[in-house]
Amino acid sequence: TTPALAGRRVLIAAATADPYAPPASIDRLATVLADGGADVTTSTVEGGHDLQQGDLVAAGEWLGAMPGA
């Protein structure tokens, strides 16, 4: 089922060596969300299944680009 996400912004923060979310899974998720109408931004950093500084930078930039920010 394709989600109804028209007008929604989504940030996917991914890592190159995440054992729980390999790149193919991230690509598939981004496609499903975009097919549902979401404006998808994907940020990929070096690392595993932990929060990296690059994730925080990407989130800040993504939030800063929101209307009214």
Side-chain angles (χ1 to χ4, degrees), residues 5-64:
L5 298 171
R8 305 288 182 178
R9 295 177 69 237
V10 177
L11 171 64
I12 300 173
T16 56
D18 187 337
Y20 301 104
S25 294
I26 298 303
D27 292 343
R28 176 70 181 132
L29 175 60
T31 297
V32 168
L33 295 173
D35 286 351
D39 175 11
V40 180
T41 301
T42 302
S43 171
T44 303
V45 298
E46 296 291 324
H49 193 73
D50 53 338
L51 193 60
Q52 303 289 329
Q53 183 64 32
D55 295 321
L56 300 176
V57 170
E61 291 172 355
W62 182 80
L63 288 168

